[in-house]
Short mmCIF file of all heavy atoms in Angstrom, two decimals:
data_model
loop_
_atom_site.label_atom_id
_atom_site.label_comp_id
_atom_site.label_asym_id
_atom_site.label_seq_id
_atom_site.Cartn_x
_atom_site.Cartn_y
_atom_site.Cartn_z
N GLU U 17 50.25 -118.56 216.66
CA GLU U 17 49.35 -118.12 217.70
C GLU U 17 49.94 -118.38 219.09
O GLU U 17 49.24 -118.53 220.07
CB GLU U 17 48.01 -118.84 217.57
CG GLU U 17 47.34 -118.58 216.21
CD GLU U 17 46.11 -119.40 216.02
OE1 GLU U 17 45.81 -120.23 216.91
OE2 GLU U 17 45.41 -119.22 215.01
N ALA U 18 51.28 -118.50 219.16
CA ALA U 18 51.93 -118.79 220.44
C ALA U 18 51.53 -117.77 221.50
O ALA U 18 51.50 -116.58 221.26
CB ALA U 18 53.44 -118.79 220.25
N SER U 19 51.20 -118.27 222.67
CA SER U 19 50.68 -117.40 223.71
C SER U 19 51.67 -117.13 224.82
O SER U 19 51.46 -116.24 225.63
CB SER U 19 49.42 -118.04 224.31
OG SER U 19 49.75 -119.27 224.94
N GLY U 20 52.74 -117.91 224.90
CA GLY U 20 53.72 -117.68 225.95
C GLY U 20 53.36 -118.32 227.27
O GLY U 20 54.05 -118.12 228.27
N THR U 21 52.27 -119.09 227.34
CA THR U 21 51.92 -119.79 228.57
C THR U 21 52.89 -120.93 228.80
O THR U 21 53.59 -121.37 227.89
CB THR U 21 50.49 -120.33 228.50
OG1 THR U 21 50.37 -121.19 227.36
CG2 THR U 21 49.49 -119.19 228.35
N ASN U 22 52.93 -121.43 230.05
CA ASN U 22 53.84 -122.52 230.36
C ASN U 22 53.44 -123.79 229.60
O ASN U 22 52.25 -124.09 229.48
CB ASN U 22 53.84 -122.80 231.86
CG ASN U 22 54.44 -121.66 232.65
OD1 ASN U 22 55.36 -121.00 232.18
ND2 ASN U 22 53.92 -121.41 233.84
N PRO U 23 54.41 -124.54 229.11
CA PRO U 23 54.08 -125.77 228.38
C PRO U 23 53.74 -126.92 229.31
O PRO U 23 54.21 -126.97 230.45
CB PRO U 23 55.38 -126.06 227.62
CG PRO U 23 56.46 -125.49 228.50
CD PRO U 23 55.85 -124.26 229.13
N GLY U 24 52.95 -127.85 228.81
CA GLY U 24 52.72 -129.10 229.52
C GLY U 24 53.75 -130.15 229.14
O GLY U 24 54.02 -131.07 229.90
N VAL U 25 54.32 -130.00 227.94
CA VAL U 25 55.32 -130.93 227.43
C VAL U 25 56.47 -130.13 226.82
O VAL U 25 56.24 -129.15 226.11
CB VAL U 25 54.72 -131.87 226.36
CG1 VAL U 25 55.80 -132.73 225.71
CG2 VAL U 25 53.63 -132.76 226.96
N ILE U 26 57.69 -130.52 227.13
CA ILE U 26 58.87 -129.93 226.48
C ILE U 26 59.61 -131.04 225.74
O ILE U 26 59.87 -132.11 226.30
CB ILE U 26 59.81 -129.28 227.51
CG1 ILE U 26 59.12 -128.07 228.16
CG2 ILE U 26 61.11 -128.84 226.84
CD1 ILE U 26 59.96 -127.39 229.22
N SER U 226 50.15 -128.41 220.14
CA SER U 226 50.54 -127.18 219.47
C SER U 226 51.58 -126.44 220.30
O SER U 226 51.70 -126.64 221.51
CB SER U 226 49.32 -126.29 219.23
OG SER U 226 48.74 -125.93 220.47
N MET U 227 52.32 -125.54 219.64
CA MET U 227 53.34 -124.78 220.34
C MET U 227 52.72 -123.67 221.19
O MET U 227 51.72 -123.08 220.81
CB MET U 227 54.30 -124.15 219.32
CG MET U 227 55.18 -125.14 218.60
SD MET U 227 56.38 -125.91 219.71
CE MET U 227 57.33 -124.49 220.19
N VAL U 228 53.33 -123.38 222.34
CA VAL U 228 52.90 -122.26 223.17
C VAL U 228 53.88 -121.09 223.07
O VAL U 228 53.59 -119.99 223.55
CB VAL U 228 52.71 -122.66 224.64
CG1 VAL U 228 51.63 -123.73 224.77
CG2 VAL U 228 54.03 -123.16 225.25
N GLU U 229 55.03 -121.31 222.46
CA GLU U 229 55.98 -120.24 222.21
C GLU U 229 56.97 -120.71 221.15
O GLU U 229 57.01 -121.89 220.80
CB GLU U 229 56.73 -119.84 223.48
CG GLU U 229 57.55 -120.96 224.11
CD GLU U 229 58.20 -120.55 225.42
OE1 GLU U 229 57.87 -119.44 225.89
OE2 GLU U 229 59.01 -121.31 225.95
N SER U 230 57.72 -119.78 220.61
CA SER U 230 58.68 -120.12 219.57
C SER U 230 59.77 -121.04 220.13
O SER U 230 60.07 -121.01 221.32
CB SER U 230 59.34 -118.84 219.02
OG SER U 230 58.38 -117.99 218.44
N SER U 241 58.37 -126.07 223.15
CA SER U 241 57.40 -125.96 224.24
C SER U 241 56.01 -126.27 223.68
O SER U 241 55.46 -125.48 222.91
CB SER U 241 57.43 -124.56 224.85
OG SER U 241 58.69 -124.31 225.45
N LEU U 242 55.46 -127.42 224.06
CA LEU U 242 54.18 -127.89 223.52
C LEU U 242 53.07 -127.74 224.57
O LEU U 242 53.32 -127.84 225.76
CB LEU U 242 54.28 -129.35 223.10
CG LEU U 242 55.43 -129.73 222.17
CD1 LEU U 242 55.39 -131.22 221.87
CD2 LEU U 242 55.38 -128.93 220.89
N LYS U 243 51.86 -127.55 224.09
CA LYS U 243 50.73 -127.38 224.98
C LYS U 243 50.55 -128.60 225.87
O LYS U 243 50.39 -128.49 227.08
CB LYS U 243 49.46 -127.11 224.18
CG LYS U 243 48.31 -126.56 225.01
CD LYS U 243 47.17 -126.10 224.11
CE LYS U 243 46.06 -125.46 224.91
NZ LYS U 243 46.46 -124.18 225.53
N GLU U 245 48.11 -130.80 226.41
CA GLU U 245 46.90 -130.73 227.24
C GLU U 245 45.80 -131.61 226.65
O GLU U 245 45.56 -131.62 225.45
CB GLU U 245 46.41 -129.29 227.34
CG GLU U 245 45.19 -129.11 228.23
CD GLU U 245 44.85 -127.65 228.45
OE1 GLU U 245 45.71 -126.78 228.16
OE2 GLU U 245 43.74 -127.37 228.91
N TYR U 247 41.86 -132.62 226.10
CA TYR U 247 40.57 -131.95 225.97
C TYR U 247 39.49 -133.00 225.69
O TYR U 247 39.78 -134.05 225.11
CB TYR U 247 40.57 -130.95 224.81
CG TYR U 247 41.41 -129.73 225.04
CD1 TYR U 247 42.65 -129.58 224.43
CD2 TYR U 247 40.96 -128.69 225.86
CE1 TYR U 247 43.42 -128.44 224.62
CE2 TYR U 247 41.72 -127.54 226.05
CZ TYR U 247 42.95 -127.43 225.44
OH TYR U 247 43.72 -126.31 225.64
N GLU U 254 39.23 -125.20 229.37
CA GLU U 254 40.44 -125.19 230.17
C GLU U 254 40.15 -125.63 231.61
O GLU U 254 39.12 -125.30 232.18
CB GLU U 254 41.05 -123.78 230.20
CG GLU U 254 41.48 -123.26 228.83
CD GLU U 254 42.57 -124.11 228.21
OE1 GLU U 254 43.43 -124.62 228.95
OE2 GLU U 254 42.58 -124.25 226.98
N SER U 258 46.87 -124.72 236.04
CA SER U 258 47.75 -124.44 234.92
C SER U 258 49.10 -125.13 235.12
O SER U 258 49.43 -125.56 236.22
CB SER U 258 47.95 -122.92 234.76
OG SER U 258 48.45 -122.37 235.96
N PRO U 259 49.90 -125.24 234.06
CA PRO U 259 51.19 -125.94 234.17
C PRO U 259 52.17 -125.20 235.08
O PRO U 259 52.20 -123.96 235.12
CB PRO U 259 51.71 -125.95 232.73
CG PRO U 259 50.53 -125.67 231.87
CD PRO U 259 49.61 -124.82 232.68
N THR U 260 52.95 -125.97 235.79
CA THR U 260 54.05 -125.42 236.59
C THR U 260 55.30 -125.36 235.70
O THR U 260 55.61 -126.32 235.00
CB THR U 260 54.34 -126.32 237.80
OG1 THR U 260 53.17 -126.37 238.61
CG2 THR U 260 55.50 -125.79 238.62
N PRO U 261 56.02 -124.24 235.69
CA PRO U 261 57.23 -124.16 234.84
C PRO U 261 58.24 -125.25 235.20
O PRO U 261 58.43 -125.57 236.38
CB PRO U 261 57.79 -122.77 235.16
CG PRO U 261 56.65 -121.99 235.72
CD PRO U 261 55.79 -122.99 236.45
N PHE U 279 50.88 -131.61 234.95
CA PHE U 279 49.73 -130.90 234.38
C PHE U 279 49.09 -131.71 233.27
O PHE U 279 47.86 -131.79 233.16
CB PHE U 279 50.16 -129.53 233.85
CG PHE U 279 49.13 -128.88 232.97
CD1 PHE U 279 48.07 -128.20 233.53
CD2 PHE U 279 49.21 -128.97 231.58
CE1 PHE U 279 47.10 -127.60 232.72
CE2 PHE U 279 48.26 -128.39 230.77
CZ PHE U 279 47.19 -127.70 231.35
#
Side-chain angles (χ1 to χ4, degrees):
E17 301 174 355
S19 63
T21 57
N22 293 326
V25 173
I26 294 178
S226 62
M227 291 293 297
V228 298
E229 61 184 8
S230 299
S241 296
L242 308 179
K243 195 171 184 67
E245 183 172 345
Y247 290 104
E254 298 297 326
S258 57
T260 299
F279 167 82

